[in-house]
Amino acid sequence: MAAKVLTVTSGKGGVGKTTITANLGAALASHNQKVVCIDGDIGLRNLDVVLGLENRIVYDIVDVVEGRCKLRQAMIRDKRIEGLFLIPAAQTRDKTAVSPSDMVRICDELRPDYDWVIIDSPAGIERGFRNALAPADRVFVVTNPEVSAVRDADRIIGITEAEEKGPAQLIINRINPAMVERGDMISTIDIVELLAIELIGIIPEDSNVIVSTNRGLPIVLDGKSQAGQALQNIARRVMGENVPFLDLNDQGGFFKQIGKLFSSGGKNE
Amino acid sequence: MNPNIEIKGISEGLLATIGEGDWTEIRQALLELIQTQADFFKGADLTLNVGDHEIKAADLGKLRDQISENDVILRGLISKSPRTEENAKSLGLTTHFERPQPERSGKAFDTSVGGDEAIFVQRTLRSGNNIIYPGHVVVIGDVNPGAEIISGGNIIVWGRLRGTVHAGASGDETALVCALELAPTQLRIAETVSITPSSKKKPKPEVASLKDGQVIAEVWDIHKSKK
């Protein structure tokens, strides 16, 4: 095995990086993959809470970097999902406790024994983001259908390209088909046109996500949720399967538009 | 000590001026210098003046990490190469001091260059990217919102222009801005600033110029231009 390192990032905060990291990890593990999720948000850790593993933390990533424990000791095994592990962030330190080269070293140590390492990047473009970007083989840029989130995503893609970590792939989270239909929300088509990178997932707005996040239970385990289904599909695309995008009910016209966008070379109203 | 590296104290911290020679060797020498004189460098803000050396973004990022391992922060990079400068900016490094350096300020907006020199950028400029150039700027690709181009001459964008542009920044009122889709956040020509009205109609190639102190955008007419 030679794990691929996926970094989930966005620039803007609150767009769903942590939820996507947790669910992508759970979904990949449910396909018999061995997955390690790393929380890159030192000082404001969340991934442990979303995965429901908060009460099992003994050592964290800073302990590993500073040599207080072995890497294996900091890895928490998820008892519900075979093959899923978490390396939590420290809550009492800040981003400078870890350097980009530390992250590269940790990921290199994990590579031989796992299929995927997923890093949950903090918001911003400072040290924490640099740490998360340094070891990345693939970069997933998460955005919401909001102007500010798209602007930040554009900035992040620019930095990713400059660091020669790309090409980045795009996940659009919390889209509300009804609002798009009414013209009250930026459509997927506009976002893809501006950011001009490959789209790997569209996740609809789904209130079940809040419930599952609060319970520390990944939504991909909930077969009925549309958001959970969309996240499952992303996981399958990550593994190289060709999965069509979900038909988000009244979005019939939208897929036609996507086709139109690509066939007309990007010129669209 | 490598004769190609000259260190001096400036108000912003330390300035290392890199001379000519092989970049890989100088780079190594610089790191060794910082390691061997750790007490002197510890905690310093370092600015590199790399002159004509072309440095890739990835290399620059690595260098910054290596430097930071010695408790030295790479704050800025001064370069004569626009590409290297752009790489430095994309990593968040300052590329000039608050007070423009006397050596550069003469050159930066030297109007005698007129519009003869130009740079050619073949990629999309994303939010946070900027190009500052005394001559013309030609971009093949989009200029996204949040990106900025400041040119002493004309600006030509073969793509969608949605960022902020300033043509004729050194005062040239004859400067033009052309784009396949002209929808900048803000457009400046010489001293005049204008904001594009949002338009829903099908985009057409347009040329913006200054007429009687106002920025006017006109649809590019192939027949008219043939005169």
Side-chain angles (χ1 to χ4, degrees):
Chain A
M1 273 186 268
K4 286 269 180 263
V5 179
L6 317 176
T7 294
V8 180
T9 185
S10 69
K12 189 175 177 298
V15 297
K17 289 178 293 297
T18 303
T19 311
I20 290 171
T21 305
N23 281 285
L24 210 50
L28 286 168
S30 71
H31 287 281
N32 294 321
Q33 304 280 303
K34 290 186 79 181
V35 185
V36 185
C37 295
I38 302 180
D39 191 343
D41 205 349
I42 299 166
L44 285 169
R45 71 178 178 207
N46 277 151
L47 187 56
D48 52 327
V49 182
V50 174
L51 280 169
L53 300 172
E54 186 181 17
N55 53 10
R56 293 181 45 208
I57 298 175
V58 179
Y59 292 112
D60 57 50
I61 194 161
V62 175
D63 293 319
V64 176
V65 167
E66 294 180 352
R68 277 187 295 276
C69 72
K70 291 203 177 71
L71 183 56
R72 294 287 178 276
Q73 291 175 284
M75 291 171 61
I76 303 167
R77 190 174 65 83
D78 193 311
K79 289 176 179 161
R80 299 157 304 186
I81 310 156
E82 177 73 30
L84 181 62
F85 297 83
L86 167 72
I87 300 179
Q91 187 68 327
T92 52
R93 302 289 294 271
D94 65 29
K95 310 300 190 256
T96 55
V98 173
S99 76
S101 44
D102 290 329
M103 291 297 284
V104 172
R105 200 167 45 77
I106 288 172
C107 289
D108 285 345
E109 200 177 328
L110 292 168
R111 275 179 210 272
D113 303 320
Y114 297 87
D115 298 298
W116 304 98
V117 176
I118 310 177
I119 303 174
D120 180 19
S121 157
I125 52 171
E126 294 84 18
R127 179 68 169 268
F129 163 65
R130 304 285 171 182
N131 285 345
L133 188 63
D137 296 314
R138 290 169 76 172
V139 179
F140 290 167
V141 178
V142 183
T143 191
N144 288 353
E146 288 169 31
V147 179
S148 53
V150 174
R151 192 70 56 88
D152 289 359
D154 192 40
R155 179 92 168 93
I156 288 289
I157 296 165
I159 297 172
T160 308
E161 283 171 355
E163 299 259 339
E164 289 162 24
K165 287 292 179 187
Q169 289 169 305
L170 182 68
I171 297 177
I172 302 175
N173 192 22
R174 302 188 63 179
I175 199 132
N176 182 328
M179 282 182 75
V180 174
E181 190 80 357
R182 289 200 303 272
D184 293 336
M185 188 178 257
I186 325 173
S187 69
T188 309
I189 190 122
D190 290 339
I191 300 172
V192 173
E193 191 194 71
L194 180 79
L195 298 179
I197 59 169
E198 190 197 340
L199 184 66
I200 195 170
I202 307 169
I203 306 166
E205 175 99 78
D206 184 345
S207 53
N208 294 322
V209 175
I210 299 170
V211 179
S212 79
T213 302
N214 288 343
R215 291 199 183 132
L217 203 71
I219 190 138
V220 288
L221 303 178
D222 174 359
K224 291 192 288 290
S225 152
Q226 224 184 11
Q229 187 58 47
L231 282 153
Q232 275 287 0
N233 288 351
I234 296 174
R236 286 166 59 197
R237 288 184 201 114
V238 168
M239 291 189 297
E241 269 184 63
N242 192 359
V243 188
F245 286 100
L246 274 188
D247 189 7
L248 305 173
N249 41 48
D250 48 359
Q251 281 217 324
F254 150 78
F255 289 99
K256 268 184 249 149
Q257 278 190 48
I258 284 256
K260 224 164 73 189
L261 172 72
F262 291 126
S263 61
S264 68
K267 275 286 140 206
N268 202 296
E269 277 292 286
Chain B
M1 183 164 158
N2 192 312
N4 286 326
I5 305 174
E6 186 194 278
I7 307 278
K8 67 173 182 186
I10 53 171
S11 56
E12 288 84 359
L14 292 174
L15 174 70
T17 308
I18 309 292
E20 288 175 0
D22 181 52
W23 168 245
T24 340
E25 280 174 24
I26 296 176
R27 187 186 189 287
Q28 190 53 37
L30 176 68
L31 285 170
E32 277 167 18
L33 183 68
I34 293 174
Q35 273 156 14
T36 50
Q37 302 193 21
D39 289 342
F40 172 72
F41 281 99
K42 200 172 164 58
D45 285 352
L46 183 67
T47 300
L48 288 180
N49 182 350
V50 297
D52 290 318
H53 292 283
E54 287 268 353
I55 304 165
K56 282 194 176 154
D59 187 28
L60 201 55
K62 199 181 281 173
L63 180 64
R64 183 187 52 192
D65 291 346
Q66 286 166 333
I67 288 178
S68 72
E69 279 165 22
N70 296 290
D71 249 344
V72 179
I73 298 164
L74 184 59
R75 285 274 184 222
L77 186 124
I78 295 165
S79 168
K80 286 185 183 162
S81 143
R83 185 173 296 176
T84 305
E85 199 174 276
E86 210 183 297
N87 289 342
K89 277 182 189 159
S90 68
L91 291 171
L93 301 176
T94 13
T95 49
H96 30 71
F97 297 113
E98 294 290 311
R99 300 167 271 102
Q101 282 213 303
E103 189 198 347
R104 279 180 61 85
S105 64
K107 204 183 163 194
F109 282 117
D110 187 353
T111 44
S112 69
V113 179
D116 295 330
E117 277 189 29
I119 51 163
F120 178 70
V121 182
Q122 190 166 12
R123 66 184 178 90
T124 292
L125 293 178
R126 296 183 179 279
S127 178
N129 292 147
N130 68 349
I131 291 180
I132 302 177
Y133 190 70
H136 307 295
V137 176
V138 180
V139 179
I140 293 204
D142 294 344
V143 178
N144 284 355
E148 185 182 59
I149 300 175
I150 298 175
S151 157
N154 304 325
I155 297 172
I156 298 165
V157 178
W158 190 263
R160 286 182 282 253
L161 170 52
R162 292 169 175 180
T164 295
V165 289
H166 190 175
S170 42
D172 180 2
E173 298 192 343
T174 63
L176 302 173
V177 177
C178 319
L180 293 187
E181 180 183 336
L182 190 72
T185 314
Q186 198 186 83
L187 190 152
R188 304 180 208 136
I189 295 178
E191 303 290 306
T192 310
V193 179
S194 76
I195 294 164
T196 330
S198 59
S199 146
K200 280 281 169 200
K201 52 178 206 245
K202 206 172 167 63
K204 289 198 174 112
E206 285 182 286
V207 186
S209 60
L210 208 53
K211 285 199 179 122
D212 305 325
Q214 284 221 344
V215 176
I216 308 283
E218 290 167 304
V219 173
W220 184 251
D221 186 339
I222 304 171
H223 305 291
K224 191 178 142 197
S225 67
K226 270 187 185 161
K227 57 183 168 186

